[in-house]
Amino acid sequence: MNDNNAFLYILGYIIGTVLAIYITRLIFSIPKFLKYQRMQVLLLAELAKIQGVDTDRIEKIKKDMVLL
């Protein structure tokens, strides 16, 4: 195997891996689940405000959610 073939194999595996990741995300609708989880956190924050939870604590939790 010469250097040219090795480069093509490595490039092919990299492209295949990237395609597999995108196809997996598409099949399992991961972006949609993440959107729903963010919406749930926001809804829970609103419910916590109604229950009288400290707004600083709620904002900290929402900030921590963004870091995930």
Side-chain angles (χ1 to χ4, degrees):
M1 178 181 335
N2 60 21
D3 291 336
N4 203 13
N5 283 341
F7 176 73
L8 290 176
Y9 280 121
I10 292 171
L11 184 64
Y13 284 124
I14 291 172
I15 291 172
T17 302
V18 170
L19 285 175
I21 290 170
Y22 281 117
I23 290 171
T24 302
R25 286 178 60 93
L26 180 68
I27 289 172
F28 293 110
S29 301
I30 293 172
K32 188 190 310 183
F33 288 133
L34 292 175
K35 178 182 172 187
Y36 288 152
Q37 286 177 346
R38 287 185 194 103
M39 290 170 40
Q40 285 176 346
V41 169
L42 294 175
L43 178 62
L44 288 171
E46 290 298 319
L47 291 173
K49 283 181 189 175
I50 292 170
Q51 293 295 323
V53 177
D54 185 32
T55 56
D56 293 335
R57 183 171 171 94
I58 294 171
E59 291 304 318
K60 182 186 177 302
I61 292 171
K62 285 170 41 177
K63 252 187 227 178
D64 290 344
M65 177 200 60
V66 172
L67 296 177
L68 297 175

